[in-house]
Amino acid sequence: MNNNLLLRMEDLVNNPTARVPVCLCLDVSGSMFGEPISELNRGVQLFYNAIKDDEVAMYSAEICIVTFGGNDAICLEDFASLELQPDPPVLKANGMTPMGEAVNMALNLLEQRKNEYKDKGVDYYQPWLVLMTDGEPNGNSGELSRAIQRTVDLVNSRKLTIFPIGIGQEADMSTLAKFSPNRAPLKLQGLKFREFFSWLSKSVSKTSQSTPGECVKLDVEGIKGWGEL
């Protein structure tokens, strides 16, 4: 067992606060190079800062970051509180768009963390998966189909909330829609990553102050500040 896993397991014992697991599944393919990846990095940093500024969310939110670029999906940060991993990784753009592989990795990590919660008797809120891409998936088609089916099954059984978000004019909105049976995917207005992550941090904070199992209404009006259908 590596040191990071030991720390994450000890944290569940030392801090029994109900958790809000949030996975950021982010496209870092070559087409994100330049201003898009810079703005994405700034947005993720803002998200981390906002969570750390909220005393309740600081100890309840657990952030995982999975990226898809290069030739494969990579877990840059496994689920952990920002007390354990206070700073986000620096995202770099290159390569292809293996979206299916990334979503399957994210769901595997989530399932593993949920089992750890249960093992330690820690409550958790419905997990969130944020899927952001500026293009079409070009990884293994079987992995993509499996990722879509797994996500839809979890959403329909109320075990996952997904936010599929397209970036720019080349984003494959039809594929993003397949991941989300109950809510249409949104397109980011320009490069308003910071506005999106500000909205997301407020939503996480609101959830962390509710009771596990309680239905928390999203700030639909706030979405208008960064997203469009």
Side-chain angles (χ1 to χ4, degrees), residues 50-60 205 208-209:
I51 295 296
K52 287 186 288 186
D53 284 344
D54 183 307
E55 190 172 351
V56 177
M58 166 78 173
Y59 294 103
S60 61
S205 293
S208 69
Q209 292 167 22

Side-chain angles (χ1 to χ4, degrees), residues 112-129:
Q112 176 183 316
R113 192 55 172 163
K114 282 164 58 179
N115 287 333
E116 291 166 2
Y117 296 153
K118 293 170 186 174
D119 183 57
K120 299 299 181 185
V122 173
D123 279 341
Y124 61 92
Y125 298 87
Q126 189 174 96
W128 296 13
L129 174 63

